[in-house]
Amino acid sequence: MRESRSYRTFTVLNTIFLLGVVFLTMYPFLNIIAQSLSSEAAIMAGRVTLFPIGFTTETYEVVMSDRLFWVNYKNTVVYTVVATAISLVLTTMYAYAISRMRLRGRGLFIGIAVFTMFFNGGLIPNYILINSLNMDNSIWAIVIPNAVSIFNLLVMKAFFENLPLELEEAAAIDGLTTYGILLRIVIPLSKAILATMLLFYAVSHWNSWFQAFIYLSDKELFPVTMYLRNMIAGTSQTSDVAAASADAQNNVSSNIKAVTMVLTVLPILCVYPFIQRYFVSGVMLGSVKQ
C-alpha cells in the first residue's frame, strides 16, 4: 500500500518529536556522566554539557578507594536482594489468594489492602513500632516495612484473574493441592508479570534511602543511597575522601556528587536490558480482552 503524503509528514514529525523527548530525558543523565569525568575548573565555569571537559578520573579513584563506600554498596545489594525476595513472595501469595472468587472474605481482604493505599499510621507511630520490635538499626527495619506495594498487588491480582480456570480445575482433578497449583501451574505461567514485579521492587528498594535515614544510625549499615544523600547534604566526610591530596580535593569536591550518582545507578542500568522484554510483555498483560 502506498503511503499518503500526510502520513509521511506525520511519520517525520512524530519521529522528530520522539527524538526530542528522548534527548530531553537523556540529557540530565549524560550531563551527570560528563560532570563526573570533568575537571573542577570546567564544572565551576559551567562549561560542561554533554561531553567531559578536562577529562579526569581522579574523583572515581578517590570514591572507589573509600572503604565505607564499598561497605554501603554491599549493604544495598544485600538489602535489595532480601527485600525484593520477601516482597515478591508476599505479593504473589496475597494476589493469588484474593484473585480466587472462592476465597471466603475476599472482599474484606481486598478492602484492607486498598485502605492502606490512602491511610497509614504516620511516621512517628511507625518509628515507635519498629523500635518496640527491636528492629531498628538492623536489616529488618529496611526489608520488612512496606514489603508489599498495593499497586503491584492489584496488578498481579488482575493478571491471576485472567488465567484460565480450566487449567486449575484440571490440575485439581489430577490431585494437586492449592499450593501445588500455585507452584506448578500458576507461577510457571506468570514469568512475565513476576519479572515485571521483580524490576519494580528491585528498583524501588535500590533507590530507597528514607527508611535507612529514619531507622539506621550506624554508618556501617547504611545503603549506598545514604552515602549519596550525605554527600549531597555535605554531611559525609569519610577518612579516605578527607585523606585525598590537597590538589585533588578541589576537583573531588566539584564532581563527587556526580561520580557517586553514576556509581549508584550503574547496576540498575546493567540489569534493566535483560529484564526489559519481560517488563514490556508484563505491563501489557490483561490490556487486551478476547
Side-chain angles (χ1 to χ4, degrees):
M1 178 182 294
R2 185 176 180 180
E3 296 180 352
S4 64
R5 179 179 299 178
S6 60
Y7 181 77
R8 290 197 299 270
T9 303
F10 168 77
T11 301
V12 172
L13 294 177
N14 190 48
T15 301
I16 295 174
F17 172 75
L18 292 178
L19 288 175
V21 172
V22 170
F23 175 77
L24 292 175
T25 304
M26 291 294 296
Y27 177 79
F29 184 67
L30 295 176
N31 179 255
I32 288 294
I33 295 177
Q35 287 191 35
S36 71
L37 297 169
S38 298
S39 65
E40 181 262 347
I43 296 174
M44 297 302 293
R47 295 189 291 121
V48 181
T49 53
L50 293 177
F51 303 100
I53 298 178
F55 183 87
T56 177
T57 59
E58 199 167 37
T59 307
Y60 279 98
E61 296 170 4
V62 172
V63 172
M64 295 179 71
S65 67
D66 185 5
R67 185 193 67 85
L68 183 61
F69 173 78
W70 291 111
V71 170
N72 293 163
Y73 218 100
K74 181 199 71 174
N75 293 340
T76 296
V77 173
V78 173
Y79 295 161
T80 300
V81 171
V82 175
T84 301
I86 292 174
S87 297
L88 206 56
V89 170
L90 294 179
T91 304
T92 301
M93 295 177 65
Y94 199 157
Y96 178 71
I98 63 178
S99 68
R100 303 299 92 180
M101 295 295 182
R102 63 179 181 273
L103 176 68
R104 294 182 179 179
R106 175 174 177 268
L108 175 62
F109 289 115
I110 295 176
I112 292 174
V114 173
F115 181 84
T116 62
M117 293 182 68
F118 305 99
F119 305 97
N120 60 69
L123 180 60
I124 294 177
N126 282 334
Y127 179 82
I128 294 174
L129 175 63
I130 296 298
N131 189 58
S132 64
L133 294 174
N134 295 321
M135 290 168 54
D136 57 310
N137 220 32
S138 71
I139 183 178
W140 307 116
I142 305 299
V143 303
I144 297 298
N146 303 319
V148 177
S149 165
I150 304 305
F151 172 80
N152 293 345
L153 174 70
L154 297 179
V155 170
M156 290 197 75
K157 167 184 169 294
F159 171 80
F160 289 144
E161 288 176 342
N162 288 328
L163 290 178
L165 291 177
E166 291 79 8
L167 291 175
E168 297 188 26
E169 293 173 355
I173 292 174
D174 289 337
L176 285 181
T177 63
T178 300
Y179 294 104
I181 293 173
L182 174 62
L183 295 175
R184 301 179 63 178
I185 303 297
V186 175
I187 290 181
L189 294 174
S190 308
K191 292 180 180 179
I193 194 68
L194 289 174
T196 303
M197 294 299 107
L198 176 67
L199 180 64
F200 284 173
Y201 276 124
V203 171
S204 175
H205 291 306
W206 183 273
N207 292 330
S208 175
W209 67 271
F210 188 69
Q211 286 180 284
F213 179 73
I214 297 297
Y215 300 126
L216 302 182
S217 58
D218 185 355
K219 286 186 176 181
E220 298 288 326
L221 297 176
F222 284 172
V224 74
T225 45
M226 273 296 294
Y227 184 98
L228 172 60
R229 181 261 170 197
N230 290 338
M231 282 292 180
I232 294 175
T235 59
S236 177
Q237 293 296 328
T238 64
S239 57
D240 292 331
V241 173
S245 65
D247 293 335
Q249 275 295 337
N250 288 335
N251 189 66
V252 168
S253 62
S254 297
N255 63 0
I256 192 169
K257 298 174 185 178
V259 168
T260 312
M261 288 179 188
V262 172
L263 293 175
T264 301
V265 77
L266 190 61
I268 295 297
L269 292 180
C270 294
V271 171
Y272 183 81
F274 298 99
I275 307 179
Q276 181 183 15
R277 63 190 183 95
Y278 294 107
F279 170 73
V280 172
S281 59
V283 296
M284 292 298 294
L285 290 171
S287 61
V288 178
K289 299 292 185 179
Q290 296 184 352

mmCIF file of all heavy atoms in Angstrom, residues 154-196:
data_model
loop_
_atom_site.group_PDB
_atom_site.id
_atom_site.type_symbol
_atom_site.label_atom_id
_atom_site.label_comp_id
_atom_site.label_asym_id
_atom_site.label_seq_id
_atom_site.Cartn_x
_atom_site.Cartn_y
_atom_site.Cartn_z
ATOM 1 N N LEU A 154 -2.335 -5.239 43.192
ATOM 2 C CA LEU A 154 -3.533 -5.184 42.354
ATOM 3 C C LEU A 154 -3.224 -5.553 40.904
ATOM 4 O O LEU A 154 -4.060 -6.158 40.212
ATOM 5 C CB LEU A 154 -4.156 -3.785 42.429
ATOM 6 C CG LEU A 154 -4.659 -3.367 43.811
ATOM 7 C CD1 LEU A 154 -5.224 -1.954 43.782
ATOM 8 C CD2 LEU A 154 -5.716 -4.345 44.333
ATOM 9 N N VAL A 155 -2.030 -5.202 40.435
ATOM 10 C CA VAL A 155 -1.634 -5.592 39.081
ATOM 11 C C VAL A 155 -1.520 -7.109 38.974
ATOM 12 O O VAL A 155 -2.011 -7.721 38.013
ATOM 13 C CB VAL A 155 -0.298 -4.921 38.691
ATOM 14 C CG1 VAL A 155 0.246 -5.499 37.388
ATOM 15 C CG2 VAL A 155 -0.481 -3.415 38.556
ATOM 16 N N MET A 156 -0.893 -7.733 39.959
ATOM 17 C CA MET A 156 -0.767 -9.190 39.946
ATOM 18 C C MET A 156 -2.124 -9.859 40.104
ATOM 19 O O MET A 156 -2.393 -10.897 39.485
ATOM 20 C CB MET A 156 0.180 -9.655 41.055
ATOM 21 C CG MET A 156 1.626 -9.295 40.827
ATOM 22 S SD MET A 156 2.755 -10.254 41.864
ATOM 23 C CE MET A 156 2.727 -11.843 41.045
ATOM 24 N N LYS A 157 -2.969 -9.290 40.927
ATOM 25 C CA LYS A 157 -4.315 -9.837 41.105
ATOM 26 C C LYS A 157 -5.060 -9.859 39.768
ATOM 27 O O LYS A 157 -5.694 -10.862 39.410
ATOM 28 C CB LYS A 157 -5.079 -9.009 42.126
ATOM 29 C CG LYS A 157 -6.581 -9.271 42.186
ATOM 30 C CD LYS A 157 -7.247 -8.334 43.165
ATOM 31 C CE LYS A 157 -8.765 -8.379 43.057
ATOM 32 N NZ LYS A 157 -9.253 -7.858 41.771
ATOM 33 N N ALA A 158 -4.993 -8.748 39.026
ATOM 34 C CA ALA A 158 -5.665 -8.686 37.723
ATOM 35 C C ALA A 158 -5.101 -9.725 36.761
ATOM 36 O O ALA A 158 -5.845 -10.336 35.984
ATOM 37 C CB ALA A 158 -5.523 -7.282 37.138
ATOM 38 N N PHE A 159 -3.797 -9.945 36.822
ATOM 39 C CA PHE A 159 -3.185 -10.946 35.943
ATOM 40 C C PHE A 159 -3.674 -12.344 36.294
ATOM 41 O O PHE A 159 -4.049 -13.135 35.416
ATOM 42 C CB PHE A 159 -1.668 -10.878 36.056
ATOM 43 C CG PHE A 159 -0.976 -12.014 35.351
ATOM 44 C CD1 PHE A 159 -0.789 -11.975 33.977
ATOM 45 C CD2 PHE A 159 -0.527 -13.116 36.053
ATOM 46 C CE1 PHE A 159 -0.163 -13.026 33.324
ATOM 47 C CE2 PHE A 159 0.093 -14.167 35.414
ATOM 48 C CZ PHE A 159 0.278 -14.123 34.045
ATOM 49 N N PHE A 160 -3.671 -12.685 37.587
ATOM 50 C CA PHE A 160 -4.097 -14.015 38.008
ATOM 51 C C PHE A 160 -5.568 -14.271 37.665
ATOM 52 O O PHE A 160 -5.954 -15.399 37.354
ATOM 53 C CB PHE A 160 -3.875 -14.204 39.505
ATOM 54 C CG PHE A 160 -2.430 -14.327 39.901
ATOM 55 C CD1 PHE A 160 -1.968 -13.787 41.101
ATOM 56 C CD2 PHE A 160 -1.532 -14.972 39.080
ATOM 57 C CE1 PHE A 160 -0.638 -13.898 41.463
ATOM 58 C CE2 PHE A 160 -0.192 -15.093 39.433
ATOM 59 C CZ PHE A 160 0.257 -14.548 40.626
ATOM 60 N N GLU A 161 -6.383 -13.227 37.723
ATOM 61 C CA GLU A 161 -7.799 -13.383 37.390
ATOM 62 C C GLU A 161 -8.008 -13.723 35.916
ATOM 63 O O GLU A 161 -9.039 -14.314 35.561
ATOM 64 C CB GLU A 161 -8.565 -12.105 37.743
ATOM 65 C CG GLU A 161 -8.734 -11.895 39.239
ATOM 66 C CD GLU A 161 -9.417 -10.581 39.567
ATOM 67 O OE1 GLU A 161 -9.445 -9.690 38.685
ATOM 68 O OE2 GLU A 161 -9.936 -10.446 40.697
ATOM 69 N N ASN A 162 -7.053 -13.359 35.059
ATOM 70 C CA ASN A 162 -7.180 -13.621 33.628
ATOM 71 C C ASN A 162 -6.655 -14.989 33.223
ATOM 72 O O ASN A 162 -6.777 -15.375 32.050
ATOM 73 C CB ASN A 162 -6.440 -12.540 32.824
ATOM 74 C CG ASN A 162 -7.170 -11.211 32.858
ATOM 75 O OD1 ASN A 162 -8.386 -11.168 32.930
ATOM 76 N ND2 ASN A 162 -6.425 -10.119 32.828
ATOM 77 N N LEU A 163 -6.040 -15.715 34.150
ATOM 78 C CA LEU A 163 -5.578 -17.067 33.827
ATOM 79 C C LEU A 163 -6.778 -18.002 33.673
ATOM 80 O O LEU A 163 -7.748 -17.908 34.435
ATOM 81 C CB LEU A 163 -4.655 -17.596 34.921
ATOM 82 C CG LEU A 163 -3.273 -16.948 35.041
ATOM 83 C CD1 LEU A 163 -2.509 -17.553 36.216
ATOM 84 C CD2 LEU A 163 -2.475 -17.125 33.755
ATOM 85 N N PRO A 164 -6.739 -18.911 32.716
ATOM 86 C CA PRO A 164 -7.874 -19.835 32.510
ATOM 87 C C PRO A 164 -8.123 -20.706 33.738
ATOM 88 O O PRO A 164 -7.217 -21.396 34.222
ATOM 89 C CB PRO A 164 -7.422 -20.686 31.314
ATOM 90 C CG PRO A 164 -6.368 -19.869 30.635
ATOM 91 C CD PRO A 164 -5.683 -19.097 31.707
ATOM 92 N N LEU A 165 -9.345 -20.694 34.229
ATOM 93 C CA LEU A 165 -9.686 -21.516 35.389
ATOM 94 C C LEU A 165 -9.648 -23.000 35.053
ATOM 95 O O LEU A 165 -9.475 -23.844 35.942
ATOM 96 C CB LEU A 165 -11.078 -21.133 35.901
ATOM 97 C CG LEU A 165 -11.202 -19.742 36.547
ATOM 98 C CD1 LEU A 165 -12.651 -19.467 36.931
ATOM 99 C CD2 LEU A 165 -10.299 -19.626 37.764
ATOM 100 N N GLU A 166 -9.824 -23.317 33.764
ATOM 101 C CA GLU A 166 -9.818 -24.733 33.365
ATOM 102 C C GLU A 166 -8.489 -25.411 33.690
ATOM 103 O O GLU A 166 -8.461 -26.604 34.003
ATOM 104 C CB GLU A 166 -10.099 -24.842 31.863
ATOM 105 C CG GLU A 166 -11.521 -24.460 31.450
ATOM 106 C CD GLU A 166 -11.721 -22.967 31.383
ATOM 107 O OE1 GLU A 166 -10.718 -22.229 31.514
ATOM 108 O OE2 GLU A 166 -12.879 -22.523 31.212
ATOM 109 N N LEU A 167 -7.394 -24.654 33.631
ATOM 110 C CA LEU A 167 -6.090 -25.229 33.954
ATOM 111 C C LEU A 167 -6.029 -25.649 35.424
ATOM 112 O O LEU A 167 -5.529 -26.729 35.752
ATOM 113 C CB LEU A 167 -4.981 -24.205 33.668
ATOM 114 C CG LEU A 167 -4.716 -23.876 32.193
ATOM 115 C CD1 LEU A 167 -3.674 -22.760 32.083
ATOM 116 C CD2 LEU A 167 -4.242 -25.112 31.439
ATOM 117 N N GLU A 168 -6.553 -24.806 36.300
ATOM 118 C CA GLU A 168 -6.549 -25.126 37.720
ATOM 119 C C GLU A 168 -7.498 -26.277 38.020
ATOM 120 O O GLU A 168 -7.209 -27.139 38.861
ATOM 121 C CB GLU A 168 -6.925 -23.892 38.535
ATOM 122 C CG GLU A 168 -5.937 -22.742 38.388
ATOM 123 C CD GLU A 168 -6.223 -21.609 39.358
ATOM 124 O OE1 GLU A 168 -6.809 -21.883 40.422
ATOM 125 O OE2 GLU A 168 -5.870 -20.467 39.045
ATOM 126 N N GLU A 169 -8.642 -26.295 37.346
ATOM 127 C CA GLU A 169 -9.587 -27.385 37.558
ATOM 128 C C GLU A 169 -8.989 -28.715 37.114
ATOM 129 O O GLU A 169 -9.137 -29.735 37.800
ATOM 130 C CB GLU A 169 -10.873 -27.091 36.795
ATOM 131 C CG GLU A 169 -11.654 -25.894 37.347
ATOM 132 C CD GLU A 169 -12.832 -25.517 36.467
ATOM 133 O OE1 GLU A 169 -12.969 -26.121 35.384
ATOM 134 O OE2 GLU A 169 -13.595 -24.613 36.852
ATOM 135 N N ALA A 170 -8.286 -28.705 35.981
ATOM 136 C CA ALA A 170 -7.653 -29.939 35.505
ATOM 137 C C ALA A 170 -6.561 -30.392 36.467
ATOM 138 O O ALA A 170 -6.411 -31.586 36.747
ATOM 139 C CB ALA A 170 -7.071 -29.714 34.109
ATOM 140 N N ALA A 171 -5.791 -29.422 36.994
ATOM 141 C CA ALA A 171 -4.742 -29.762 37.949
ATOM 142 C C ALA A 171 -5.334 -30.307 39.241
ATOM 143 O O ALA A 171 -4.789 -31.244 39.842
ATOM 144 C CB ALA A 171 -3.888 -28.528 38.238
ATOM 145 N N ALA A 172 -6.461 -29.734 39.679
ATOM 146 C CA ALA A 172 -7.120 -30.228 40.893
ATOM 147 C C ALA A 172 -7.631 -31.645 40.694
ATOM 148 O O ALA A 172 -7.540 -32.487 41.601
ATOM 149 C CB ALA A 172 -8.255 -29.284 41.277
ATOM 150 N N ILE A 173 -8.158 -31.937 39.504
ATOM 151 C CA ILE A 173 -8.625 -33.302 39.211
ATOM 152 C C ILE A 173 -7.469 -34.291 39.251
ATOM 153 O O ILE A 173 -7.606 -35.439 39.690
ATOM 154 C CB ILE A 173 -9.329 -33.330 37.838
ATOM 155 C CG1 ILE A 173 -10.634 -32.540 37.911
ATOM 156 C CG2 ILE A 173 -9.593 -34.763 37.383
ATOM 157 C CD1 ILE A 173 -11.323 -32.395 36.576
ATOM 158 N N ASP A 174 -6.278 -33.818 38.827
ATOM 159 C CA ASP A 174 -5.092 -34.678 38.844
ATOM 160 C C ASP A 174 -4.497 -34.826 40.233
ATOM 161 O O ASP A 174 -3.500 -35.545 40.410
ATOM 162 C CB ASP A 174 -4.019 -34.121 37.905
ATOM 163 C CG ASP A 174 -4.413 -34.287 36.446
ATOM 164 O OD1 ASP A 174 -5.245 -35.171 36.160
ATOM 165 O OD2 ASP A 174 -3.893 -33.542 35.595
ATOM 166 N N GLY A 175 -5.064 -34.140 41.225
ATOM 167 C CA GLY A 175 -4.632 -34.335 42.604
ATOM 168 C C GLY A 175 -3.777 -33.252 43.199
ATOM 169 O O GLY A 175 -3.298 -33.386 44.331
ATOM 170 N N LEU A 176 -3.564 -32.151 42.488
ATOM 171 C CA LEU A 176 -2.753 -31.074 43.039
ATOM 172 C C LEU A 176 -3.539 -30.280 44.076
ATOM 173 O O LEU A 176 -4.724 -30.017 43.899
ATOM 174 C CB LEU A 176 -2.286 -30.133 41.927
ATOM 175 C CG LEU A 176 -1.155 -30.620 41.020
ATOM 176 C CD1 LEU A 176 -0.815 -29.559 39.990
ATOM 177 C CD2 LEU A 176 0.075 -31.000 41.819
ATOM 178 N N THR A 177 -2.852 -29.909 45.141
ATOM 179 C CA THR A 177 -3.455 -29.042 46.154
ATOM 180 C C THR A 177 -3.385 -27.587 45.682
ATOM 181 O O THR A 177 -2.831 -27.289 44.622
ATOM 182 C CB THR A 177 -2.729 -29.191 47.494
ATOM 183 O OG1 THR A 177 -1.381 -28.755 47.335
ATOM 184 C CG2 THR A 177 -2.741 -30.645 47.965
ATOM 185 N N THR A 178 -3.929 -26.692 46.498
ATOM 186 C CA THR A 178 -3.877 -25.267 46.153
ATOM 187 C C THR A 178 -2.444 -24.790 46.007
ATOM 188 O O THR A 178 -2.113 -24.056 45.067
ATOM 189 C CB THR A 178 -4.592 -24.435 47.231
ATOM 190 O OG1 THR A 178 -5.963 -24.853 47.328
ATOM 191 C CG2 THR A 178 -4.545 -22.950 46.883
ATOM 192 N N TYR A 179 -1.563 -25.200 46.948
ATOM 193 C CA TYR A 179 -0.160 -24.812 46.855
ATOM 194 C C TYR A 179 0.509 -25.443 45.645
ATOM 195 O O TYR A 179 1.361 -24.822 44.995
ATOM 196 C CB TYR A 179 0.578 -25.193 48.141
ATOM 197 C CG TYR A 179 0.122 -24.424 49.350
ATOM 198 C CD1 TYR A 179 -0.704 -25.004 50.314
ATOM 199 C CD2 TYR A 179 0.507 -23.091 49.529
ATOM 200 C CE1 TYR A 179 -1.127 -24.293 51.421
ATOM 201 C CE2 TYR A 179 0.098 -22.367 50.637
ATOM 202 C CZ TYR A 179 -0.722 -22.979 51.581
ATOM 203 O OH TYR A 179 -1.148 -22.261 52.669
ATOM 204 N N GLY A 180 0.140 -26.664 45.334
ATOM 205 C CA GLY A 180 0.696 -27.329 44.163
ATOM 206 C C GLY A 180 0.287 -26.629 42.877
ATOM 207 O O GLY A 180 1.090 -26.475 41.949
ATOM 208 N N ILE A 181 -0.973 -26.189 42.811
ATOM 209 C CA ILE A 181 -1.449 -25.455 41.631
ATOM 210 C C ILE A 181 -0.683 -24.138 41.484
ATOM 211 O O ILE A 181 -0.268 -23.773 40.382
ATOM 212 C CB ILE A 181 -2.961 -25.195 41.749
ATOM 213 C CG1 ILE A 181 -3.742 -26.511 41.676
ATOM 214 C CG2 ILE A 181 -3.435 -24.247 40.653
ATOM 215 C CD1 ILE A 181 -5.219 -26.376 41.951
ATOM 216 N N LEU A 182 -0.482 -23.452 42.615
ATOM 217 C CA LEU A 182 0.234 -22.184 42.566
ATOM 218 C C LEU A 182 1.679 -22.377 42.104
ATOM 219 O O LEU A 182 2.164 -21.635 41.232
ATOM 220 C CB LEU A 182 0.214 -21.520 43.948
ATOM 221 C CG LEU A 182 1.045 -20.240 44.098
ATOM 222 C CD1 LEU A 182 0.521 -19.148 43.173
ATOM 223 C CD2 LEU A 182 1.032 -19.764 45.549
ATOM 224 N N LEU A 183 2.365 -23.368 42.672
ATOM 225 C CA LEU A 183 3.785 -23.549 42.390
ATOM 226 C C LEU A 183 4.052 -24.212 41.044
ATOM 227 O O LEU A 183 5.034 -23.865 40.364
ATOM 228 C CB LEU A 183 4.433 -24.384 43.506
ATOM 229 C CG LEU A 183 4.459 -23.751 44.897
ATOM 230 C CD1 LEU A 183 5.010 -24.720 45.926
ATOM 231 C CD2 LEU A 183 5.287 -22.477 44.888
ATOM 232 N N ARG A 184 3.171 -25.132 40.618
ATOM 233 C CA ARG A 184 3.464 -25.915 39.419
ATOM 234 C C ARG A 184 2.672 -25.493 38.191
ATOM 235 O O ARG A 184 3.027 -25.862 37.074
ATOM 236 C CB ARG A 184 3.204 -27.401 39.716
ATOM 237 C CG ARG A 184 4.049 -27.932 40.861
ATOM 238 C CD ARG A 184 3.782 -29.386 41.159
ATOM 239 N NE ARG A 184 4.124 -30.248 40.032
ATOM 240 C CZ ARG A 184 4.024 -31.579 40.062
ATOM 241 N NH1 ARG A 184 3.597 -32.177 41.168
ATOM 242 N NH2 ARG A 184 4.343 -32.293 39.004
ATOM 243 N N ILE A 185 1.615 -24.705 38.401
ATOM 244 C CA ILE A 185 0.799 -24.277 37.253
ATOM 245 C C ILE A 185 0.831 -22.760 37.090
ATOM 246 O O ILE A 185 1.174 -22.245 36.023
ATOM 247 C CB ILE A 185 -0.666 -24.750 37.417
ATOM 248 C CG1 ILE A 185 -0.735 -26.272 37.585
ATOM 249 C CG2 ILE A 185 -1.488 -24.301 36.216
ATOM 250 C CD1 ILE A 185 -0.242 -27.059 36.400
ATOM 251 N N VAL A 186 0.479 -22.046 38.147
ATOM 252 C CA VAL A 186 0.307 -20.595 38.045
ATOM 253 C C VAL A 186 1.641 -19.872 37.867
ATOM 254 O O VAL A 186 1.798 -19.057 36.945
ATOM 255 C CB VAL A 186 -0.433 -20.059 39.285
ATOM 256 C CG1 VAL A 186 -0.513 -18.531 39.239
ATOM 257 C CG2 VAL A 186 -1.828 -20.656 39.358
ATOM 258 N N ILE A 187 2.601 -20.151 38.746
ATOM 259 C CA ILE A 187 3.877 -19.431 38.680
ATOM 260 C C ILE A 187 4.621 -19.653 37.358
ATOM 261 O O ILE A 187 5.129 -18.689 36.770
ATOM 262 C CB ILE A 187 4.756 -19.792 39.894
ATOM 263 C CG1 ILE A 187 4.142 -19.175 41.159
ATOM 264 C CG2 ILE A 187 6.194 -19.321 39.701
ATOM 265 C CD1 ILE A 187 4.930 -19.427 42.424
ATOM 266 N N PRO A 188 4.695 -20.901 36.828
ATOM 267 C CA PRO A 188 5.363 -21.063 35.522
ATOM 268 C C PRO A 188 4.688 -20.281 34.399
ATOM 269 O O PRO A 188 5.355 -19.927 33.422
ATOM 270 C CB PRO A 188 5.272 -22.576 35.275
ATOM 271 C CG PRO A 188 5.218 -23.175 36.638
ATOM 272 C CD PRO A 188 4.397 -22.216 37.440
ATOM 273 N N LEU A 189 3.387 -20.015 34.518
ATOM 274 C CA LEU A 189 2.686 -19.233 33.505
ATOM 275 C C LEU A 189 2.771 -17.736 33.755
ATOM 276 O O LEU A 189 2.238 -16.952 32.962
ATOM 277 C CB LEU A 189 1.201 -19.654 33.469
ATOM 278 C CG LEU A 189 0.911 -21.089 33.008
ATOM 279 C CD1 LEU A 189 -0.583 -21.390 33.169
ATOM 280 C CD2 LEU A 189 1.348 -21.284 31.562
ATOM 281 N N SER A 190 3.426 -17.343 34.840
ATOM 282 C CA SER A 190 3.428 -15.930 35.249
ATOM 283 C C SER A 190 4.827 -15.322 35.220
ATOM 284 O O SER A 190 5.098 -14.361 35.940
ATOM 285 C CB SER A 190 2.844 -15.804 36.665
ATOM 286 O OG SER A 190 1.595 -16.442 36.761
ATOM 287 N N LYS A 191 5.703 -15.860 34.390
ATOM 288 C CA LYS A 191 7.083 -15.370 34.371
ATOM 289 C C LYS A 191 7.161 -13.896 33.985
ATOM 290 O O LYS A 191 7.964 -13.138 34.538
ATOM 291 C CB LYS A 191 7.921 -16.213 33.414
ATOM 292 C CG LYS A 191 8.137 -17.644 33.885
ATOM 293 C CD LYS A 191 8.968 -18.428 32.883
ATOM 294 C CE LYS A 191 9.182 -19.865 33.364
ATOM 295 N NZ LYS A 191 9.961 -20.658 32.383
ATOM 296 N N ALA A 192 6.332 -13.473 33.042
ATOM 297 C CA ALA A 192 6.394 -12.080 32.589
ATOM 298 C C ALA A 192 6.003 -11.113 33.702
ATOM 299 O O ALA A 192 6.695 -10.124 33.960
ATOM 300 C CB ALA A 192 5.491 -11.885 31.373
ATOM 301 N N ILE A 193 4.882 -11.398 34.386
ATOM 302 C CA ILE A 193 4.436 -10.498 35.443
ATOM 303 C C ILE A 193 5.378 -10.558 36.647
ATOM 304 O O ILE A 193 5.617 -9.548 37.314
ATOM 305 C CB ILE A 193 2.977 -10.830 35.864
ATOM 306 C CG1 ILE A 193 2.396 -9.702 36.715
ATOM 307 C CG2 ILE A 193 2.901 -12.144 36.599
ATOM 308 C CD1 ILE A 193 2.181 -8.435 35.973
ATOM 309 N N LEU A 194 5.949 -11.735 36.918
ATOM 310 C CA LEU A 194 6.895 -11.851 38.016
ATOM 311 C C LEU A 194 8.168 -11.061 37.722
ATOM 312 O O LEU A 194 8.727 -10.415 38.614
ATOM 313 C CB LEU A 194 7.236 -13.331 38.265
ATOM 314 C CG LEU A 194 6.128 -14.177 38.887
ATOM 315 C CD1 LEU A 194 6.540 -15.637 38.948
ATOM 316 C CD2 LEU A 194 5.772 -13.679 40.278
ATOM 317 N N ALA A 195 8.630 -11.103 36.466
ATOM 318 C CA ALA A 195 9.810 -10.325 36.089
ATOM 319 C C ALA A 195 9.525 -8.831 36.201
ATOM 320 O O ALA A 195 10.387 -8.050 36.618
ATOM 321 C CB ALA A 195 10.241 -10.680 34.671
ATOM 322 N N THR A 196 8.311 -8.441 35.839
ATOM 323 C CA THR A 196 7.927 -7.031 35.956
ATOM 324 C C THR A 196 7.918 -6.589 37.414
ATOM 325 O O THR A 196 8.448 -5.526 37.760
ATOM 326 C CB THR A 196 6.544 -6.805 35.337
ATOM 327 O OG1 THR A 196 6.555 -7.236 33.970
ATOM 328 C CG2 THR A 196 6.146 -5.343 35.397
#
